[in-house]
Amino acid sequence: AQSVTQLGSHVSVSEGALVLLRCNYSSSVPPYLFWYVQYPNQGLQLLLKYTSAATLVKGINGFEAEFKKSETSFHLTKPSAHMSDAAEYFCAVSDLSNTGKLIFGQGTTLQVKP
Amino acid sequence: KAGVTQTPRYLIKTRGQQVTLSCSPISGHRSVSWYQQTPGQGLQFLFEYFSETQRNKGNFPGRFSGRQFSNSRSEMNVSTLELGDSALYLCASRSGTGGFSGANVLTFGAGSRLTVL
């Protein structure tokens, strides 16, 4: 069965510092992987997706993620944090049935300190 | 292009009542999925509808049901509400065919926040 583990439910960084949010997945086949962001009282917004085209994926707002099969990881990074990046971030893997079912991690809340 | 629209945004019900939530997908999208988000269980898949047919279902009791209309709008219904049904219910749409190309990524609405007293 597919699964996703996000390491660290809360991450705190200073403005301008590197952001690193960790995601490990479990999948019996090459997965499709996603990062979504959720701001307070809003739905989920897609940051980026991995669909096997390239291992380094660039997304919106300066975020990127690297797919590492050997480590079963898909960590999200951003070189320099902005105050506006404070939100909850979710890593997700697609269900093998290729329907609208995504399996989400528990989420990581990013705090950005001035 | 209008996004995914969910109504109502907020609602309060009491135990034992039922509730209906509505979702209008992005124009041209034929697939609608529903998710429940709670602090304890996180984001959990409820079901997906495509062309008025339920295509996949999550592990929820039969009190949770849904349907899709010919214009792709979808509703979900929860009967005999319990306190534990308090959650943010998210609807997401995608074109519904093929793999996870750009057109098939899930786009989420802002959600309907249900409080059960």
Side-chain angles (χ1 to χ4, degrees):
Chain A
Q2 314 288 83
S3 68
V4 170
T5 302
Q6 291 183 240
L7 300 176
S9 59
H10 288 85
V11 170
S12 182
V13 301
S14 298
E15 191 173 20
L18 171 71
V19 175
L20 171 61
L21 304 182
R22 301 177 186 274
C23 172
N24 288 89
Y25 69 90
S26 172
S27 175
S28 57
V29 298
Y32 294 135
L33 294 160
F34 306 82
W35 275 100
Y36 281 87
V37 62
Q38 185 177 35
Y39 298 100
N41 298 317
Q42 295 187 27
L44 303 175
Q45 180 184 8
L46 180 71
L47 281 175
L48 48 81
K49 64 182 186 289
Y50 169 74
T51 57
S52 75
T55 57
L56 183 62
V57 181
K58 294 188 183 298
I60 62 171
N61 302 339
F63 284 94
E64 63 181 36
E66 185 173 8
F67 173 74
K68 292 187 177 180
K69 183 179 179 181
S70 61
E71 299 177 7
T72 61
S73 68
F74 190 56
H75 301 332
L76 182 70
T77 60
K78 182 174 180 178
S80 177
H82 293 173
M83 297 295 292
S84 59
D85 294 327
E88 191 162 18
Y89 293 78
F90 293 93
C91 182
V93 63
S94 63
D95 177 74
L96 294 176
S97 64
N98 192 27
T99 62
K101 179 178 180 180
L102 293 181
I103 298 157
F104 286 89
Q106 285 297 102
T108 297
T109 299
L110 176 65
Q111 180 188 24
V112 182
K113 297 177 291 185
Chain B
K1 197 174 190 182
V4 178
T5 304
Q6 292 188 244
T7 57
R9 287 292 313 277
Y10 302 91
L11 65 167
I12 300 173
K13 295 285 187 178
T14 57
R15 281 179 296 175
Q17 287 187 311
Q18 73 168 12
V19 66
T20 299
L21 308 178
S22 179
C23 173
S24 293
I26 290 172
S27 178
H29 284 189
R30 297 165 63 191
S31 165
V32 173
S33 299
W34 289 90
Y35 288 79
Q36 181 197 63
Q37 184 178 23
T38 59
Q41 299 299 316
L43 282 153
Q44 294 186 286
F45 173 78
L46 281 157
F47 28 65
E48 181 193 20
Y49 286 86
F50 176 74
S51 293
E52 302 178 65
T53 301
Q54 188 179 85
R55 196 155 74 164
N56 199 353
K57 189 177 189 304
N59 188 26
F60 278 82
R63 300 184 298 105
F64 292 81
S65 63
R67 60 178 176 168
Q68 187 180 33
F69 302 95
S70 59
N71 62 358
S72 294
R73 190 177 70 86
S74 177
E75 290 181 347
M76 67 163 284
N77 182 276
V78 188
S79 62
T80 320
L81 284 166
E82 301 176 359
L83 295 179
D85 297 332
S86 295
L88 180 66
Y89 290 88
L90 292 164
C91 168
S93 75
R94 64 175 190 154
S95 72
T97 57
F100 276 88
S101 68
N104 280 306
V105 171
L106 286 176
T107 301
F108 285 81
S112 293
R113 184 166 295 281
L114 170 65
T115 301
V116 182
L117 302 176

